[in-house]
Amino acid sequence: MIIIKNTLVVVLLFMLIFGFRLPIIYNSAVFVFLISIVVIFFHQPSFSILQKLAKRRYVLRILLLFILIYVISLLISIFHGTYDITMSNKFIGLFATVIISLFVYSSIYISLKDKNDLIKFIILVFVVQSFIQIISLLSPEFLSIIRQFQDARSSEIGTSDYYHGIRALSLSTELFFGLSGAYGLVLIFFMKYMLDTSSFNNKNIFLFFIISTSMFFVGRTVAIGLAFALLYFVFYKGHIFKLRIMIKIIVFLALALVIIFNMLSTNLQFLITDTVLPTVFDFSSSGQGPRSLHTLNNMLSFEISEKTILLGDGFYTTNGSYYMTIDSGYYRQILFGGIIYLLLNFIYFIIYFAYGKYLIFSSKNDKYNFYLLSCIVFLYISFLHIKGETVGSGKIMMIILFLYGINNILFLKKGYK
């Protein structure tokens, strides 16, 4: 019975987080929302949790700031006379996602035994996604099924010659930067989970390795998350033998790589050495480094007028692509609404971490580690904002952070306002 209940939790979170395409209902997040409504309607404890969360200032602040940014986005486009509503439309989707997350969490709360259970389930969700990617790589028949639930345009990009057919293997709407950023975030939370629960066993290290392999299928950004996870490990305070654990992780991962590679057929070994690895560590023919970094450097090599820095240009997209073909989140938000608009998005993002002072911690180390994690996550997502838009707008990452926030409120503080 417990296994069935836990499996259902993983399925619900999977549909919420990855929001893959479905017939008629359009999106799996909408489907899981409908399921959650039914659960909450017929299950009084779940309804009580929803009521309790809906009254919390943390939730209200996030929702009100959403509305504020949405209105300001509309006013900016009107002020400039561009009437570009693509930025504000994006916030409508994020607003709906937060509401759905609230309902889904309320419906699964009864299955959570402590504050670490939610992180465990999110980890399992990404483990399942990682296995889907691996199977999709190995089985064209399985991949053809997965393609039916992907966004058509993203799926087409993933099958292009640029990616050699090793991208867009996930059962998800987001297949590239947004997904890889979320994977990196989960690696940070996975490290936290193992440290908090003292569970650096072979099973968890193997699962950590499986999630890390996603860098081959969704992007090198996962490696940045891995680096920040190790940074959290270094500065974590607790009664653990860090050197022994680090050696164990390195030895385990090295042996796992060698054993798994030698178990593969010759064709698969050739696929990895001649396609997967060159694509992951792809360098431009000019010898100027990875193609994505070279492209990003070219994008950012232009001047912005003082007027644009202060007020923006009121454009977020033009002709179906980002204004001035810029990927960087900092530039996108400045070009749309100026430096104040960029800062507003950061203020909204900071609200996701602004509840720690109301929580009860069992020790000084727990309090220190909580703020350490908040700083690590904030720096990680702010760093990714250089390459793409993540601060205040990375859907999957914002879902995870919101779930983590309301989970802490319920488990670490009673009567929190």
Side-chain angles (χ1 to χ4, degrees), residues 277-289:
L277 292 179
T279 300
V280 172
F281 303 103
D282 190 25
F283 283 80
S284 61
S285 59
S286 61
Q288 296 179 351

Side-chain angles (χ1 to χ4, degrees), residues 11 14-23 26-31 129 146 149-151 170-174 395:
V11 171
F14 189 98
M15 290 191 292
L16 167 67
I17 290 172
F18 297 117
F20 52 88
R21 296 286 183 255
L22 287 177
Y26 179 69
N27 191 290
S28 63
V30 176
F31 181 66
Q129 185 69 272
I146 296 299
F149 301 96
Q150 295 177 342
D151 175 75
S170 307
L171 182 56
S172 173
T173 298
E174 293 196 35
K395 188 183 74 171

Side-chain angles (χ1 to χ4, degrees), residues 176-192:
F176 303 106
F177 180 68
L179 183 57
S180 62
Y183 259 100
L185 179 63
V186 168
L187 285 177
I188 297 172
F189 277 106
F190 201 161
M191 182 64 74
K192 166 191 164 50

Side-chain angles (χ1 to χ4, degrees), residues 72-83 307 311-314 336:
I72 290 176
S73 299
L74 287 176
L75 292 176
I76 287 173
S77 65
I78 294 172
F79 172 78
H80 286 283
T82 61
Y83 304 100
K307 179 183 177 181
L311 301 175
D313 293 335
F336 178 75

Side-chain angles (χ1 to χ4, degrees), residues 8-17 28-40 46-47 49-50 53 96-112 118 121-122 125 399 402-403 406 410:
L8 288 174
V9 172
V10 172
V11 171
L12 291 175
L13 287 175
F14 189 98
M15 290 191 292
L16 167 67
I17 290 172
S28 63
V30 176
F31 181 66
V32 76
F33 179 50
L34 298 176
I35 293 175
S36 299
I37 290 176
V38 174
V39 171
I40 290 170
S46 297
F47 181 72
I49 292 299
L50 179 62
L53 287 173
T97 301
V98 169
I99 296 294
I100 294 173
S101 300
L102 198 63
F103 276 77
V104 173
Y105 180 85
S106 300
S107 66
I108 68 171
Y109 175 78
I110 193 69
S111 301
L112 306 178
L118 176 69
F121 284 123
I122 291 176
V125 162
I399 291 174
F402 181 69
L403 292 174
I406 58 179
L410 292 182

Side-chain angles (χ1 to χ4, degrees), residues 191 194-205 233 240 245 248-249:
M191 182 64 74
M194 289 190 290
L195 289 167
D196 287 351
T197 59
S198 300
S199 57
F200 279 92
N201 50 52
N202 291 340
K203 182 193 74 173
N204 282 338
I205 294 176
F233 174 84
I240 58 172
I245 292 173
K248 183 179 180 179
I249 292 175

Side-chain angles (χ1 to χ4, degrees), residues 144-292:
S144 65
I145 297 173
I146 296 299
R147 294 275 191 233
Q148 304 302 313
F149 301 96
Q150 295 177 342
D151 175 75
R153 184 172 179 273
S154 297
S155 179
E156 182 181 347
I157 294 173
T159 57
S160 65
D161 293 337
Y162 182 91
Y163 289 115
H164 301 288
I166 68 167
R167 296 286 172 86
L169 305 177
S170 307
L171 182 56
S172 173
T173 298
E174 293 196 35
L175 298 172
F176 303 106
F177 180 68
L179 183 57
S180 62
Y183 259 100
L185 179 63
V186 168
L187 285 177
I188 297 172
F189 277 106
F190 201 161
M191 182 64 74
K192 166 191 164 50
Y193 176 81
M194 289 190 290
L195 289 167
D196 287 351
T197 59
S198 300
S199 57
F200 279 92
N201 50 52
N202 291 340
K203 182 193 74 173
N204 282 338
I205 294 176
F206 174 72
L207 294 180
F208 191 84
F209 164 73
I210 290 297
I211 292 180
S212 299
T213 60
S214 62
M215 71 177 69
F216 299 116
F217 311 117
V218 298
R220 287 178 289 264
T221 304
V222 181
I224 299 175
L226 178 59
F228 276 88
L230 295 176
L231 187 65
Y232 179 74
F233 174 84
V234 170
F235 288 99
Y236 179 88
K237 284 187 178 180
H239 301 291
I240 58 172
F241 298 100
K242 290 187 178 182
L243 181 59
R244 181 196 300 176
I245 292 173
M246 184 60 69
I247 293 174
K248 183 179 180 179
I249 292 175
I250 294 173
V251 171
F252 182 92
L253 294 182
L255 287 174
L257 285 171
V258 172
I259 293 172
I260 293 174
F261 183 80
N262 283 283
M263 288 175 62
L264 300 175
S265 65
T266 303
N267 289 336
L268 287 177
Q269 290 180 359
F270 180 82
L271 176 67
I272 291 173
T273 57
D274 284 53
T275 302
V276 175
L277 292 179
T279 300
V280 172
F281 303 103
D282 190 25
F283 283 80
S284 61
S285 59
S286 61
Q288 296 179 351
R291 284 187 293 179
S292 60

